[in-house]
Amino acid sequence: MLIAMDAIWILTSGGDAPGMNAALRGLVKIAASRGVEVIGVCDGYEGLVEGRTRPLTRRDGGGLAPIPEIEGLSRLGGSALGTARSDVFLTSEGRARAAVRLNGDIGLVVIGGNGSLTGAHELGREHGVRVVGIPASIDNDIGATSICIGVDTALNTIVEACDRISDTASAHRRAFVVEVMGRDCGYLAMASAIAVEADAVMFREQGRGDAEVLAQLGDTVTRSLHPNRGKKRALIIKAEGVRLPTSTIVEALQDRLDNSSYRGASVRATILGHLVRGGSPSYRDRMIAGRFALAAIRTLEGGGADEMMAWQPFQGEGSPTEDPYVSRVPLAEVLAETARLHDGTSKVTQRRVAMMRRLENVLSL
Ligand code: F6P
């Protein structure tokens, strides 16, 4: 049975991710095609609390159509609605103020990462808001979905950046430490390491002590740059979440090289940081965004709520959608698995760490 809705409200929250805009465009077009008005919330939960919104559909002849600004959004990075990390929404008073804004039969779609989906769940639990989530975070640290919007573009950007760094590193026979984003999850580092032909990869989930890490990296770099090897560069990918500062690693590796039997090789570092979060979304991110959008609208009009759209072939967990790659998973389950991903007790984290451990000797060859 289809549930009538007065409107669908959409917000993006937390760190932006390439493909958020493609999801927004998809949501607006699909909702308009079903005759449901769409309202955009400016600047995430902050805007919801303050009631800052703008219409994303308008009456056009007899029917409803997206506003013209919706066209061309798919190719834009960032978030056209604006996004924020809201402190006020973390309080129950803030959430109560936000819930009051959602007056009537309104479905809310939240596009964002862990904090955003936690907020969505709280709004549903505390105030009965009909909310669904779409996972978007370059960190790929959301439970129950194999991929989040933004990850593919971020990985492509890392690959391009490391290819460029490899050019200059090879010209000078240098070692480079490249730090990539990923505060609580080293996925970007792990997933990019093979593609960029890294000699070593560091991520928090390895759980190694500083001295052990530095000794191992020192071995790898001195071996890689040894004149007999003929290798032109050594590349270390480091996830942001690793406690050791990148500058400390560079100093330690430089010391090690200076004290080795050959001299002259130098170590440099590049922190890719926010560079990796911007840019035009890849085909894959746009495609996933569009399919999440369709499933989210279908979920709301079917009366579903407090769920996240997940990219995983339906395997009997969560509820299927008409798309064999998109499942609906209760937000409570998503958040519990996300916590396990972060603290390392998730089977997914353990599988990733074990796989990278098996690859270690291959990478450093
Ligand atoms: O969106 C996640 C993330 O990119 C993390 O990897 C990073 O630590 C954080 O955002 C940076 O946040 P901010 O843009 O607020 O500095």
Side-chain angles (χ1 to χ4, degrees), residues 14-17 85 136-139 141 180-185 188 240 273-274 277:
D16 56 290
R85 302 189 196 275
S137 162
I138 64 162
D139 292 355
D141 63 341
V180 299
M181 269 194 172
R183 191 178 33 205
D184 300 312
C185 174
L188 287 179
E240 176 192 1
H274 290 80
R277 226 163 65 185

Side-chain angles (χ1 to χ4, degrees), residues 10 39 70 101 243 275 290 352:
I10 303 170
I39 304 290
I70 289 301
R101 307 281 179 193
R243 202 185 45 222
L275 187 111
R352 286 175 186 164

Side-chain angles (χ1 to χ4, degrees), residues 9-13 39-53 84 86 88-89 94-103 106 108-110 119-120 123 129 131:
W9 288 32
I10 303 170
L11 65 82
T12 57
S13 159
I39 304 290
V41 180
C42 307
D43 305 328
Y45 289 118
E46 201 77 17
L48 187 60
V49 171
E50 293 164 10
R52 286 188 286 113
T53 61
S86 172
V88 65
F89 192 76
R95 289 195 291 277
R97 278 171 62 198
V100 169
R101 307 281 179 193
L102 296 157
N103 205 1
I106 290 172
L108 175 67
V109 182
V110 171
L123 266 184
V129 172
V131 56

Side-chain angles (χ1 to χ4, degrees), residues 55-66:
L56 300 177
T57 49
R58 66 180 186 197
R59 295 277 148 208
D60 188 358
L64 201 60

